[in-house]
Amino acid sequence: MRTWSVAERHCVPKDRQGGAGEDRLVVLHDRHGALRCVAVVDGATDKSGRDYGGLSGGARAAEQVAGTLARLPEDAGPERAVREITADLARLRARWGIANDDLVAPCAVAAVMLPQQEVVWRVGDVHVALARSAEEDAPRPDGGAELGPASRWEQHDGDKLLDRVLAQARAAFLHCLLAGDGDVSTLAAEDPGRALILPLLRRQSILANRAGPYGYGVLDGRQVPERFIDIFPLDGVDQVVLASDGYLSAEPSLAAAERRLAASVATDPLRIDEHPATKAVRPGADSFDDRTYVRLIRHPE
């Protein structure tokens, strides 16, 4: 079995003056020093205003997921990991007196790489990219030149239908306000488009871990159906990137991810054009969300 190492890592909150944010980067080693678990955990943006011992709900949930991953045995696979995380989050809900039907309970999403088990698993909208080893002199399907390194990347972007629908509704409303002489800076600061969709954002968790067109997977202390657990085998993969949705996608390098994000923020701070989203970039901020990136490489035998 070949070994893996972390080539690049980065974790920064959207508000650099406001604490650690709601993302967590987990890097765990076994007793021999080999990587056994690497994870990007993204706590849901808090919409309740509650305080959980000095942390927001999203940060508290992300901390719990990170803690569960740290205590799991080295041979714990995706199914056991999701089961144990769910049980620990259910205990967290009980400890804080959170009702089973609470619509703004702490929750998180995660993408987890298990190097020794040759698999990545994911629940929720964390981006995953895999670079597969191309066979030497492998021809293109059209008979052209051999495959280049850029052709090897597989992008598995994290998104969900409900977010796309809400983002488009917000974008349409803000475009209406701009057409009526609205000011970009004022709209970014006040974000009336987010206010428009906030009632649904606060209720969307009723659709979490449920079947149906708007159902989606999340780690919140309730059972996660198998259909919401993505599994990516690492056969033939020599690089893996995990990135929270503070980035537009899991780019092949941290520099590329930062460049693409900076360009998007500069041209569309309201986030209503090429990459419509559910919130704007606040004035003075360099991004719209916490962002976490990690790239891993496999070493030859």
Side-chain angles (χ1 to χ4, degrees):
M1 181 177 66
R2 293 186 289 176
T3 60
W4 290 83
S5 67
V6 175
E8 297 184 284
R9 57 190 290 177
H10 188 60
C11 186
V12 60
K14 57 182 174 290
D15 180 2
R16 301 199 185 203
Q17 307 302 317
E22 293 167 323
D23 280 7
R24 297 293 182 271
L25 175 59
V26 179
V27 179
L28 302 172
H29 297 81
D30 65 18
R31 62 186 180 280
H32 303 295
L35 281 176
R36 69 174 180 88
C37 177
V38 178
V40 168
V41 185
D42 184 356
T45 300
D46 188 76
K47 305 170 189 71
S48 69
R50 300 172 190 159
D51 180 274
Y52 292 91
L55 295 175
S56 68
R60 178 60 66 188
E63 288 267 309
Q64 181 61 71
V65 173
T68 304
L69 291 172
R71 74 166 178 77
L72 284 173
E74 294 175 11
D75 62 351
E79 294 79 9
R80 178 173 177 181
V82 173
R83 187 169 64 249
E84 295 278 352
I85 287 169
T86 297
D88 283 350
L89 286 171
R91 283 189 282 270
L92 182 147
R93 292 174 75 120
R95 186 161 66 249
W96 288 95
I98 301 168
N100 288 336
D101 60 352
D102 192 307
L103 295 176
V104 286
C107 61
V109 295
V112 181
M113 179 186 176
L114 302 173
Q116 297 171 18
Q117 299 184 42
E118 294 284 302
V119 70
V120 171
W121 66 264
R122 175 177 69 182
V123 172
D125 54 2
V126 178
H127 305 306
V128 175
L130 309 175
R132 296 193 177 277
S133 301
E135 293 184 11
E136 188 176 358
D137 299 326
R140 292 184 183 276
D142 61 5
E146 69 181 34
L147 289 169
S151 302
R152 295 159 53 197
W153 282 97
E154 299 175 4
Q155 294 288 339
H156 301 278
D157 287 346
D159 63 359
K160 59 180 186 284
L161 177 59
L162 183 57
D163 280 348
R164 296 197 296 273
V165 170
L166 293 178
Q168 291 289 355
R170 175 180 168 273
F173 183 53
L174 288 174
H175 273 292
C176 289
L177 297 181
L178 287 172
D181 298 324
D183 174 73
V184 171
S185 296
T186 301
L187 291 176
E190 299 175 355
D191 205 345
R194 185 167 178 83
L196 174 75
I197 63 173
L198 191 57
L200 207 158
L201 287 172
R202 286 174 170 155
R203 294 191 61 82
Q204 69 175 343
S205 69
I206 200 169
L207 301 173
N209 297 324
R210 288 176 179 259
Y214 296 105
Y216 62 95
V218 73
L219 301 165
D220 67 354
R222 297 177 293 182
Q223 181 180 0
V224 181
E226 185 176 342
R227 66 187 290 254
F228 293 129
I229 305 174
D230 298 319
I231 305 290
F232 305 102
L234 298 183
D235 297 337
V237 172
D238 56 19
Q239 292 191 69
V240 173
V241 173
L242 311 177
S244 66
D245 65 354
Y247 287 106
L248 302 181
S249 65
E251 298 291 332
S253 71
L254 176 59
E258 287 285 326
R259 281 196 304 270
R260 188 176 179 210
L261 176 64
S264 177
V265 167
T267 58
D268 182 23
L270 286 176
R271 305 186 70 224
I272 59 174
D273 293 322
E274 184 180 0
H275 301 287
T278 58
K279 55 188 171 185
V281 180
R282 303 287 292 179
D286 62 359
S287 186
F288 49 83
D289 204 352
D290 306 325
R291 60 191 191 273
T292 301
Y293 177 103
V294 61
R295 179 168 65 89
L296 300 107
I297 57 173
R298 190 203 296 263
H299 299 282
E301 293 180 278

